[in-house]
Structures are given as C-alpha cells and as structure tokens.
Amino acid sequence: MSRPRAPWWLYLLAASFLGFFVLFDYCLLWGPERLGVYFDYGENGARVASVEPGFAAERAGWQVGDVISAVDAKPLRSELDWNIIGANLRVGFPHRVELERAGTRLELQMTLARRSWRRLPSDHRQLVLWLIVTQLLTLSVALLIAFSRPRDRVALLGSYLLAALPVAIAYIEPPYGLASTWRQLPAPLQALLWIPMAAAVPFDALLLTFFCVFPRPLFRARWPWLLVWLPLGVPAVALLGVACLMVYRPERATGLLSQTLWRALFLLGVAYALAAVLALVVNYRRLEDLNERRRLRVLVAGSLVGWLAPATVILIDATSPRWGTMLITSPVRLAALVLSWAFPLSFAYAILRHRVFDIGVIIRQGLQYALARRLLVLLVTVLAALLFLDLLLHGEQPLVEILLARGWLYAVLGGLAVIAHAQRQRWLAALDRRFFRERYDAQRLLREVVEEIRQAGDLRAVAPRVVARVEAALHPEFAALLVREPHENSYRTLAAAPAGQAPPALPADSKLVALVRLLGKPLEVPQTETGWLREQLPHQETDFLRQARIELVVPVATAPDHTEALLVVGPKRSEEPYTREDQDMLVAIASSLALLLQKPAAAPPARVSEAFAECPQCGTCYDTGSERCAQERAPLNLVRLPRLLADRYRLERRLGRGGMGTVYAAVDTALERSVAVKLIREDLLGSEEAAERFRREARAAAGFTHPNVVTVHDFGVAAGQRAFLVMELLQGRSLREELREETRLAPARLVEILRGVCAAVEAAHRRSLLHRDLKPENIFLARGETGEVAKVLDFGVAKFLPTAQPTETFSPRSDATVDTGTALVGTYLYMAPEQLRGEAPQPSWDLWALAVLTYEILTGARPFGTAPGDWQSAVLAGRFTPLSAHLPEAAPGWQRFFERAFALEPQQRPASARSLLSDLERTFA
C-alpha cells in the first residue's frame, strides 16, 4: 500500500511558508542595520533612554533624553508603533525623524546601512543564529508531518500549528525592513505571503483546537467550537487589518492599537493557553489507551523543555547580570537554546510514531546513546566545532582572551568525554541498576536463559523454561516456541507462557514464514495498518496476525527439509515496542536453541503423579507416599490433583480457603520464585466450555496490572477441570484479619486503605472489569519496603465464573459467596440492591460494596445487619443503621456521606470510585 499523495493545496501552503521564512531571515541578516537605541514610551512620544556608540542613531545625532514624536510622518507613541516603523525602514533611504530636545522641536535625517554580521554583539549573534535554525527546524518538522500524513486531519492541524509559530513572531517583533522589502516583491509573491500571515493570526485558537482533538476529540458536538474560536474573531480581524496597513499604508497603521488593547490581547492569549492546558488535562484523564497517554506525555515534556530552557536563560540574563554574563560567554547558553528544539521534535514524534516510547524509556535510550562509543568520540569533534563557533560569534575578542575566559570549560568537557568513553560499560550497568531496575533485571534474566540453554540436553525439556523466562523478562501478552517437522504443514506450539495462551497454528506456506526464511532475522509485525511488512503480506495473513496478536517473530531454525522452529511473542502488556536490545537478546536465545535441535532428543520424563497429600492442620503439601505430617504428625489427606501444576508450579503449603477456592504457597520452578496459586472450586468450573471461558477472561485479568491489585502471573486448568491462578505471594494479612484484631480502624487509616482500593477499582472500571465480590477477605494489607499497601485480591475472578445450579439455602455468614443460576455472584452482605434484583452487571455494584466496606471498617459492624430477612429488606429499602448507633461522637457529615452512598437509586450515589474517595476524604478531612 503506497503512501497517499499530498493534495495540490498542501504544496501551495508549503511554498507560502517557505517564502515567508526566506523573507523573514533575509531581513534579519541583510536588512537595515540596528539603530542602537532604547526607548521609554510615554504619551508625548518615545524618550531615548540610551544610545549605543557606532550605530545609526548616534550617527544621526540622537541624544539621550530626546523625545521622538514621529518617523517619516508616522506617529510614535508605543512599542507597537515602533515595530510598524521598523518594518518600513529601508537601506540607503533618508528617513525623516521629528523630535523634541530640551523644549525645542527638531527634525533630523537618518540613513541606514545594510546590516553587518560582524558588527552585531556576540549575544545578539547567538540569538539570531538560534532563531534562524529554530525557524528552519520547526518549518521542516511541520512539512515532514504534513507530507507524511496528508489525509490525517489531526496531523495536518499539528503541522499547521508548528508552521504558524515562527510567523507569529512577525506580529510580536517584525525584523527591520520586513514591510518595505515585501512591497518590492512581485504581486503574485506578495499575495502568496499573506497565506502564512493570515494563518498565524488565530495561533492561540489553533493551539487550543489541537489539544481538543489530539490524540482523540474531546467533544463531538459542534457548538463548543464556537466557544473556542468566537473570542478571537474581532482581535484576529484587527491584527490582520493592522498587518495589511503596515505593508501597504504604513502612515495609517501607527496609533491604531493602543498599549491597553495590546495588553488585553496578551491576556486573551494567556486565557487561551490556560484553556489549552485544561483541555490537555481533561483529554489525558479520559484516555484509556496507554499509547495515547504516552503521546500526550511526550508532547507535554517536549513542550516544557522546549519553552522553559531558553526562557530560563533569557530570564537570568535580564534579572542577574553576574549569572547572565557567565551564561552569555559560555556554551551553556547555546546548549539551553538548543534544548528549545525539543518542542517541534516532540510534536513530530508524538504525531508520526504509531507506537510511542514512555518518557523513562526515552531517557534511558538517550543515556545509552550518549554513552555509546561513536557519540563519545564525536563529542570531542563537537567541542571543537563549538570552540570554532565561539570564535566566530566573538570575533572582536582576541583568541588568547577567549581561551583564558572559556578554555577551561572546553577542557573539562573534553576530559569528561574521555572518562565517559573509558567507563561507559560500567556506567551503563550502574544506570540500569539504579534507575531502570526492571530493564536491568530483564536483560540479566535473558542472559541467564542463554547459559541454561547451552547446558541443556533437549529442546523439549528446556522449552517451557525458556518461554517462561522470556515472558517474565519482557512482559509480552504471550511467548511461545513453535516447531514444525518436515512432513507437517504448519507450526505447532511446543511451549507457551502464560499457560494455555498459545497462538494458533502458523501455516508453513505463508508469506511471513517465507520472509523469515529469506531474511533470517527478527520480523516485527505492527498491529496497525501501516508498516512495510503489512504492505508485503496478503490481507488474509494480516488479518490472521492481528487476531493472533503476534508482534515479533524470531527465527530459530528455518531449513524446510529439517525441523524448523520459531520464537514468537505478542505485544508487550505495557504497549511499548520491542527495543533493539530486546531483539538482540532474543536472537541470542534463538541461536542457542538452534544448537539444541542438532542434539538427539532425551528420553521423556517420568509421568508426574496425579495426586498429592496435604496436612489438614498446617496445610503443608507432600508427594504421594507420605502418611503423616512431619510437623503436626497428623494423618494426611489425599488431593486428586498433580502437585506440580502445568509442569511448573509446585504446591508447598495451603494458605487458606474461601468461597471461590483454595490458596496455596507454591514455587515457580521455571523462575525459581515463590508465588501464590489459587485453585478455583471444582464445582464452579465443570465443563470444557466453562474452562475455555475461564482461559479467555482470565487472560484479561492477567493483563490488568496496578500497584493496588495483586499481580496475576499465569493461569491454567489442571487435570482438565480445576482452574488455577498464579499470583504474587504477599506478606501481611487480610483486612478481615486486621478487623478481627482491631474491631474498627481510625478514620485516617481508613482513608489510606480506601485510597489504594478505590484507585484499583477505578482503574479496573476503565478497562470494563468488575470485581463483584469486594469484602475485607479480598483486601490484603501487604507489607513492603515502602510500608503498608492495600491490594485487591480476586479481581475479575467472580465475573469470570460461569453460572451453576441455584442455591436453595442461605447462610448469613460474611463469607457466604454464592453463584446462582440467575448469575448472582458475590457475597450477600455486600451486594447492591440492583445486584440482588438480578439486573445487568454495572460499576455501581462495586461502589456499593466499597460503601459497605467503609462502614464496616469505621464502625466494626455491618450497616444492614446480618439476619437474612431483616438484612435483605433493609438493603432493598435503602435503610441502614444510623452511624450514631455505633459511633455517638460521629460528626453529622459522616452520616450524610453514607446516606448518599446507600441511596436506593444508583444515580444518587457517587458516580465512580474516584468520586466516592473524594467524598470520603472531604468527610474525614
């Protein structure tokens, strides 16, 4: 699929902006010389505050204290008037200056020469050079975006915004001679230049519009756009009219816009900027796609760096002469100005990249490149170039003086480059260990896999461990090793992680496989409609790859007449792309696996026992053959399940039982780490259809990661019917155990616990995941290095369970978890009225349970009692026990909080977990 051709009008726009860039920079470099004068503006005119020696104003006889009233019969009352007058100055033309000196009115003539680069002060030369390069870079990036995405409206709006930014400078401070040079151009060129001038007038509205539509539209209706563009209507027409008069009727242009009106326009621009920030925040908070959030983060970070770095230097120059002088006479100022280029570059990266790196990844890769061999060697050359540029910008100073003033800085930077070049490997490892621990651990883990493969004797024996390590290191949706014998027509899965998440069979005659065989290197399959590989494959294959979620294919062995093998991985759960480091490590693993294919297969391992023994008192697990517990000396019970689940997870000790199943402490033999395994009740998963549904929906829960949700590492079905989840093993105790000991908790601790729980529920609801069984048993207070962290257990498990037979008996116990034929899933005492009525699942169920949880933590009792008849009627009537019955000292606001939280209609309750938490924090503030 070829890139869409740009429309003709896009070429016209590009030509107009390029023409304005040439005109602007021509006047900046070769226009009329600087006057060398500074004004104080008043009602009677512009008073000369200072006159620089050697410039045009001094040659014309201007003196400090003169009040300039007009230039070429154009009145001078404000800085705006002087901008219009300056834009109409001409080289070699005698300009008539009317002034008042010591009460006497005088008239002087002033003739300007052409601007000389060598006569500019060094700091002014830096700014001029920076301005030209920045304009060129911004315009180039704008054209790159526009011609790369000529049919994308958001991309065109972003490029239009970037292209209009340099033109907007002409309204703030046009260079000398801009209008007079404009008038001398042929009429068609003059008309062409009005396109960018008109485009820059509504710059503020363009900025707000962009943040309202990037990366997704903030609103669909049309009327809000009136609020965006209407306030700028009259000012835009006024500014464009003044610009026309400045070029064609300059004698009528001055005095039209007063300083007060200009300040009002400035405040309007500030209001638009604040509205753009507000739109950005609102848009960011409503985005659910992680990649789209990264786009906004990259754009905001680049914009902040791009604007704040040069603004800081200019502010220091203006407010602190001592520091300003140091910055002006050193490369630090130039480096700060160069950072401004982050603004247009971040726009291009955020708009054009189909998948965006996170800020941390960008920083890490930037540090890696900065410490790479070639860049460090190049740094010495760059320093030499900076020294040459320094000499060029300070040509009026002797070489010895420059070296004495700033030579030490170049020497220090050069020395640091040499040291960094020598220590780059140690520094990279230290940086990864300190700031990018997960990445460091992932690379270390993958390197260990390579060593283990080299020591292994059989591909089939080591395959489960390899894919498990790849999944743990890179966190893809799945990792799988596919093999094909010469007589087979497709690749089948030899091992996959997580368990039960293997991709479908890959046809051996597909064009993708042919490309892998031909190129012999990893192929990255984009999950979008763009990319060179998508253009090479038939539509049937692209649809297959999209449904299979295969993102990276790494060849292991690709000789058609021998056993072939491929290592395939899905997209990362973080949605980050696979880096070059990731691919290099996977290639190393694939190369080691290829060596195993040349070895003879080892004998198959003995069959693992389909049962294990368990102590009924302490829960310790034993292999079959043991009769008594080594600790309790109690007779062991036989459990009809393999102790080693999925040939990987060895059960060690029963931790507890609940309404959904049994939790064991276990060991992940592939990664040699402790985990928790939850075996779902056998009666809740009794058919192949139910098992497949569990696999499908547990996959979604495993992909949901949050600091306040217990991490699900893996899932599967043991012995064909017992579903299990593999989770992180937490240290601490449940909220139920805490309440049994403390009865109730202080409001401050209640808010702290609920803050984490509500954050988890809010994040889950954004992903359309419901818990449906929130209660103290499912809130775990985990002990960590940073203190206590509330974690929600069993997220999504209740939602995933299929319906069973109706339960006729009812138990008022707090752990009375049910699953009836009417899909009544959860614990009765925490069910919302609409949940009891059998209505469709909705987020209000979890919010009701959160309110019951809050009441119970605060009072040590349940709001609707525990007697079956009384409890159910109280819930359906929205009638709870007043707070004063348990807490006589409770403030009235506490009662009002629960009255709203337990309202009978969901519309009257808090609309989200975040809203409920906000109400809670205000109540107990």
Side-chain angles (χ1 to χ4, degrees), residues 241-264:
V242 171
C244 291
L245 292 176
M246 178 184 72
V247 176
Y248 298 115
R249 292 289 187 270
E251 67 280 358
R252 299 174 56 184
T254 56
L256 289 180
L257 293 179
S258 65
Q259 200 71 22
T260 302
L261 183 56
W262 187 252
R263 291 193 185 97

Side-chain angles (χ1 to χ4, degrees), residues 177-201:
L178 178 70
S180 58
T181 307
W182 192 327
R183 288 195 298 271
Q184 297 173 19
L185 297 174
L189 289 181
Q190 291 187 39
L192 191 67
L193 293 176
W194 280 111
I195 296 177
M197 282 296 283
V201 170

Side-chain angles (χ1 to χ4, degrees), residues 76-88:
L76 177 58
R77 296 290 185 273
S78 66
E79 187 175 357
L80 301 177
D81 293 341
W82 176 248
N83 287 340
I84 295 172
I85 293 171
N88 283 277

Side-chain angles (χ1 to χ4, degrees), residues 352-564:
L352 295 180
R353 287 279 299 184
H354 76 277
R355 180 163 300 171
V356 181
F357 286 102
D358 194 33
I359 297 296
V361 177
I362 294 175
I363 294 173
R364 179 180 182 273
Q365 290 197 339
L367 291 172
Q368 280 190 316
Y369 287 130
L371 292 174
R373 180 189 301 271
R374 293 181 180 178
L375 191 59
L376 288 172
V377 174
L378 182 63
L379 185 57
V380 179
T381 307
V382 172
L383 289 173
L386 284 176
L387 178 59
F388 176 77
L389 183 62
D390 196 2
L391 296 175
L392 180 65
L393 294 173
H394 301 85
E396 72 281 358
Q397 297 180 5
L399 176 61
V400 176
E401 182 179 338
I402 294 177
L403 292 178
L404 289 176
R406 295 179 294 281
W408 63 271
L409 183 59
Y410 293 106
V412 169
L413 292 176
L416 289 176
V418 173
I419 295 173
H421 176 68
Q423 301 291 326
R424 63 188 183 279
Q425 296 299 336
R426 290 179 56 191
W427 287 4
L428 275 174
L431 284 170
D432 276 354
R433 284 196 303 269
R434 177 64 179 86
F435 298 104
F436 307 101
R437 186 75 202 183
E438 183 177 352
R439 171 63 60 176
Y440 175 78
D441 291 340
Q443 296 300 321
R444 178 180 54 79
L445 197 62
L446 293 178
R447 284 192 292 269
E448 292 175 358
V449 172
V450 175
E451 294 299 324
E452 291 175 5
I453 295 173
R454 290 174 181 171
Q455 299 174 10
D458 179 59
L459 178 65
R460 285 172 172 76
V462 78
R465 189 175 180 86
V466 169
V467 295
R469 293 256 184 166
V470 170
E471 190 271 337
L474 301 180
H475 307 295
E477 292 182 2
F478 67 87
L481 184 63
L482 310 181
V483 295
R484 186 189 77 87
E485 300 297 337
H487 63 277
E488 295 177 335
N489 296 325
S490 61
Y491 290 84
R492 54 185 172 81
T493 301
L494 181 62
Q501 190 151 338
L506 182 63
D509 58 352
S510 64
K511 192 171 183 181
L512 174 68
V513 173
L515 286 173
V516 171
R517 290 170 177 162
L518 176 65
L519 299 176
K521 65 178 184 180
L523 284 184
E524 189 171 5
V525 184
Q527 299 297 312
T528 62
E529 295 295 337
T530 59
W532 75 271
L533 186 58
R534 289 284 184 181
E535 299 173 2
Q536 304 297 322
L537 301 180
H539 289 297
Q540 297 85 351
E541 287 194 34
T542 58
D543 293 340
F544 168 80
L545 293 171
R546 187 184 301 111
Q547 294 173 4
R549 301 289 288 169
I550 296 175
E551 176 144 326
L552 191 65
V553 181
V554 183
V556 176
T558 55
D561 53 344
H562 295 84
T563 301
E564 292 185 290

